Amino acid sequence: MRARGATCGATATEPATVFPPAPALVWNDQLTHAARNHVQDMATRNYFAHVTPEGVSPSERVTLTGYRWRMTGENIAAGYPDPAAVVEGWLKSPGHCRNLMNPGYRDLGVGLFRDSDSADKYGSYWAQSFGTRQGQ
């Protein structure tokens, strides 16, 4: 997807953004840890938000893993049945698409948690943690 480039849709306050092809992201275990912990926390405590009920932000989660970042971002989603569907949803969302296509991001971690509790309204929670290390 990043190799092809993309046009990320317009919002009420911003025009569409055309992104040329961008370098592939590199898997990062620390970012994966941040993403996996967040999706499990959302499922276990039945909330869906970038910021935890205690106020922990995506950048704070990344910092807690020891990843020394210059820039960081996060995409979250819930209720999607498979990876293709969640990526399609992110690409249709201007902000999520911009994170996916931002050439400034170098590293990526991904988390998925499937909640077997039949009372859970989403069933699956997805997260991407993006980052670029200090000095990159």
Side-chain angles (χ1 to χ4, degrees):
M1 163 198 46
R2 283 171 60 98
R4 292 189 313 262
T7 299
C8 298
T11 67
T13 58
E14 295 182 50
T17 305
V18 177
F19 286 92
L25 294 162
V26 176
W27 188 264
N28 181 277
D29 288 338
Q30 291 167 305
L31 295 176
T32 297
H33 184 75
R36 288 182 178 168
N37 281 353
H38 188 52
V39 292
Q40 184 172 3
D41 186 53
M42 286 190 295
T44 301
R45 299 198 301 153
N46 196 31
Y47 72 96
F48 180 71
H50 289 284
V51 178
T52 69
E54 297 78 27
V56 178
S57 70
S59 60
E60 289 170 311
R61 282 192 292 281
V62 168
T63 299
L64 288 169
T65 71
Y67 185 91
R68 294 179 48 107
W69 55 272
R70 177 172 55 86
M71 60 186 288
T72 187
E74 178 182 78
N75 284 348
I76 61 173
Y80 288 89
D82 56 56
V86 74
V87 170
E88 181 180 333
W90 281 330
L91 287 172
K92 289 179 180 177
S93 164
H96 292 105
C97 181
R98 287 182 179 98
N99 275 345
L100 281 165
M101 294 306 301
N102 186 334
Y105 289 130
R106 306 281 173 83
D107 300 326
L108 174 70
V110 177
L112 163 64
F113 189 84
R114 294 196 190 275
D115 194 342
S116 60
D117 181 354
S118 62
D120 184 282
K121 67 180 176 179
Y122 296 115
S124 61
Y125 295 80
W126 306 79
Q128 294 177 309
S129 292
F130 299 93
T132 300
R133 293 180 184 279
Q134 292 178 2
Q136 282 188 315

